Amino acid sequence: MGLGTGLMKTLMFVFNGIVWVLGIVLFIVGIVVLVEGKNWNDIIDGKTVPVSVLLIVVGLVIAIVGFLGCCGAMKQNGNMLLLYAIILGFIILIQLVAGILAFIFSDETEEIVRENIEEFMVDYTGDAENSHTDSIFNVVMEEFDCCGVNSFRDFANLTNPDKWRQTDVPDSCCQTMSDQCGIDYFTSDGDVIEIRRTANPLNEQGCVSKTVEFFEENMENSRNCCSCFCAGRAPANLFCS
């Protein structure tokens, strides 16, 4: 019996230590998303703020749970374990809410991103210093190695000819960025000039798919963290029971 109790205490300490680390990671990710998310707010209708706040809150609560679990297991403190059990119930509710929000948001992500990037395309002038949306779109294309909505050809078809010279692509589309690397990339009919394509290769994939992939990967990482949290919580629940 003593050996079994000691083993369970050790397991609870180890798993809750992992939970504590996961909580700290989520907390840090939430802060990074909150600070850096200003570049993405116009793309996903300001949803980075509630997502970052949720990550911060969940990460902080998970870290506290992990700490209480470790201390309660080692000291066999009844008050700590009771508080631990109460917070576990709160975490379950948060996980349910987060799961529902993730499900709803995942269905809307591509539609929201596509609508906003298409608006960026229509209004694109290439003057990032005086245009907030141009600046954001350039950052997206540089960060995700993408160009246009669906492909680089969108700059010949979807832009406003009164605002953008439709024979060009932005320098931020070039695989190796340099001044005017995207100039005279298309004919007046919108066909690609192959010699320019060879001399200055572009990131030809559209930004919608790349941006959606980015957000879906981060949502998957968050789900994996929650799964690890659940796995770490299992032996603790057994011990508390």
Side-chain angles (χ1 to χ4, degrees):
M1 186 71 176
L3 179 61
T5 302
L7 179 61
M8 189 57 67
K9 283 173 60 177
T10 302
L11 286 174
M12 186 174 177
F13 181 83
V14 170
F15 279 109
N16 279 285
I18 295 172
V19 166
W20 179 81
V21 171
L22 289 173
I24 295 298
V25 169
L26 279 179
F27 180 76
I28 294 172
V29 169
I31 292 176
V32 171
V33 172
L34 184 63
V35 173
E36 300 293 335
K38 60 182 183 292
N39 289 328
W40 317 112
N41 278 333
D42 289 330
I43 299 175
I44 57 173
D45 289 348
K47 285 184 169 60
T48 58
V49 174
V51 169
S52 62
V53 170
L54 182 62
L55 287 173
I56 290 171
V57 172
V58 172
L60 185 60
V61 173
I62 287 177
I64 293 172
V65 168
F67 175 78
L68 290 174
C70 288
C71 292
M74 299 308 294
K75 296 179 178 295
Q76 290 187 313
N77 186 307
N79 291 330
M80 276 190 176
L81 290 176
L82 176 60
L83 182 59
Y84 175 77
I86 292 172
I87 297 179
L88 282 183
F90 178 65
I91 284 290
I92 292 172
L93 292 177
I94 291 179
Q95 286 177 326
L96 288 174
V97 172
I100 293 171
L101 289 176
F103 177 76
I104 294 172
F105 183 58
S106 64
D107 288 341
E108 294 180 349
T109 301
E110 184 168 354
E111 181 182 349
I112 293 171
V113 170
R114 182 175 295 279
E115 287 178 358
N116 286 306
I117 290 183
E118 284 177 352
E119 289 180 7
F120 290 174
M121 285 290 300
V122 173
D123 295 331
Y124 194 80
T125 64
D127 186 7
E129 292 184 3
N130 297 311
S131 171
H132 178 61
T133 56
D134 282 9
S135 175
I136 292 171
F137 199 16
N138 284 338
V139 169
V140 170
M141 290 189 288
E142 291 172 24
E143 290 290 325
F144 293 148
D145 295 330
C146 60
C147 188
V149 179
N150 301 303
S151 78
F152 71 104
R153 297 176 187 272
D154 292 334
F155 279 96
N157 304 313
L158 300 182
T159 49
N160 185 337
D162 294 330
K163 297 182 178 181
W164 177 252
R165 188 168 176 259
Q166 292 186 318
T167 56
D168 301 343
V169 294
D171 294 343
S172 50
C173 285
C174 298
Q175 291 183 9
T176 303
M177 245 179 75
S178 60
D179 188 38
Q180 296 187 336
C181 61
I183 197 169
D184 292 329
Y185 221 84
F186 302 105
T187 65
S188 57
D189 295 326
D191 296 324
V192 179
I193 300 175
E194 292 299 331
I195 190 170
R196 295 286 292 135
R197 193 177 193 177
T198 303
N200 293 301
L202 300 180
N203 298 308
E204 299 188 0
Q205 186 175 344
C207 290
V208 170
S209 57
K210 285 283 191 123
T211 307
V212 171
E213 283 174 14
F214 169 77
F215 285 110
E216 287 182 345
E217 284 176 6
N218 280 274
M219 290 169 74
E220 180 63 27
N221 290 337
S222 297
R223 284 194 290 269
N224 290 338
C225 284
C226 287
S227 297
C228 291
F229 172 72
C230 291
R233 198 174 60 197
N237 291 341
L238 180 62
F239 181 79
C240 289
S241 62

